Amino acid sequence: MRALKIFVMALLMIFIAQGKTFAEMPEISAGETYFDIFKGIYVLKNNVQVETNNHGFKAKITADEAQVSVVKQKCWAMGNVKLSQEDITFSCDNAYLQWATRTAEVTGNVEFKNKKGVAINSDTAIFNWKEKIVDFYGKVLFDGEEYQHVKYNVVEDKILERDKNFDAPEIVIPEIEGN
C-alpha cells in the first residue's frame, strides 16, 4: 500500500510540474515508446518525432532514438538527428536540447541550411533559439572557405563572425539524467 501511495505521489508531481513549465505539452511519437516513471523520462526508439511549442518556440526533432525528460525540460537525441524550426534545418549525429536555456547543442556531421540558401557544415554547433544565434565550431565550411568558428544570426540571415583561428569550446553531450 505504501508503494502505491509513493507511485501516485510521483505521478502527481510529474503532471503538476508539466503544467507549470510548458506552454504546451510536446507531441511525442515513435515506433517504440515507454515512460520510465522512476527517472521521469520518455524512452523513444525507431522513427522518433518530438514536436514542441514552448512559449512561441515551435520545433520538430526527428531521430533514430531519443530520451525526453518532461520535468527537467531536456531532450537527448541520437542517430540521424534533424531539428527543424520555421525556415531552418539542422542535421547531425547527436543533439542535446534544453528548454530552460533555450539551447540546442549538436555534434557530429553538423549540416545547417535555411530556405534562403545559406549552408554551413561543421563538427559541432550551439543554437540559442531565444537569440536566434548559431555558433559553429571545429572544421567549419561556409562559402567555399574553411574556418574554426562561424557565428550566424538566423533572423537577420547574417554572418556575425568568421574566425580562421579560434579556441572553440568542447561540446560534449551529457549523460542522460534521471529525476
Side-chain angles (χ1 to χ4, degrees):
M1 187 67 168
R2 180 175 163 86
L4 181 61
K5 287 181 183 178
I6 292 171
F7 177 75
V8 171
M9 288 302 291
L11 277 177
L12 281 172
M13 293 300 289
I14 290 168
F15 290 120
I16 290 169
Q18 290 174 5
K20 291 183 179 181
T21 58
F22 284 105
E24 292 179 22
M25 284 296 299
E27 293 182 31
I28 300 169
S29 66
E32 298 175 46
T33 301
Y34 73 90
F35 184 74
D36 184 331
I37 187 70
F38 298 106
K39 291 184 178 178
I41 292 177
Y42 284 95
V43 178
L44 313 162
K45 295 182 179 184
N46 303 323
N47 194 27
V48 174
Q49 294 187 22
V50 178
E51 294 186 48
T52 65
N53 182 359
N54 187 4
H55 306 289
F57 170 73
K58 294 180 182 179
K60 181 177 181 179
I61 301 115
T62 60
D64 293 338
E65 297 182 34
Q67 294 194 14
V68 180
S69 173
V70 177
V71 173
K72 291 190 176 185
Q73 302 178 32
K74 296 178 180 182
C75 175
W76 294 261
M78 296 79 64
N80 298 308
V81 180
K82 185 174 181 180
L83 303 121
S84 304
Q85 196 251 338
E86 296 177 9
D87 293 339
I88 64 170
T89 303
F90 270 107
S91 297
C92 62
D93 294 334
N94 299 294
Y96 174 60
L97 294 90
Q98 299 181 76
W99 285 268
T101 61
R102 297 184 183 182
T103 58
E105 298 175 26
V106 297
T107 62
N109 300 309
V110 176
E111 293 183 14
F112 170 86
K113 295 179 183 175
N114 73 10
K115 291 185 179 177
K116 296 179 181 177
V118 172
I120 303 171
N121 296 347
S122 68
D123 296 325
T124 62
I126 298 175
F127 177 42
N128 180 320
W129 66 73
K130 181 178 179 183
E131 297 176 7
K132 305 293 189 217
I133 302 290
V134 185
D135 283 288
F136 297 93
Y137 301 108
K139 181 179 179 182
V140 183
L141 301 174
F142 170 69
D143 240 4
E145 296 277 332
E146 186 175 319
Y147 301 92
Q148 289 184 342
H149 172 245
V150 170
K151 182 177 251 184
Y152 175 68
N153 184 310
V154 175
V155 174
E156 295 177 10
D157 188 29
K158 182 179 178 181
I159 298 294
L160 304 174
E161 295 175 24
R162 297 181 210 199
D163 300 299
K164 295 269 186 183
N165 296 308
F166 190 82
D167 191 19
E170 183 179 6
I171 298 173
V172 177
I173 305 295
E175 293 294 318
I176 298 167
E177 306 166 357
N179 284 333

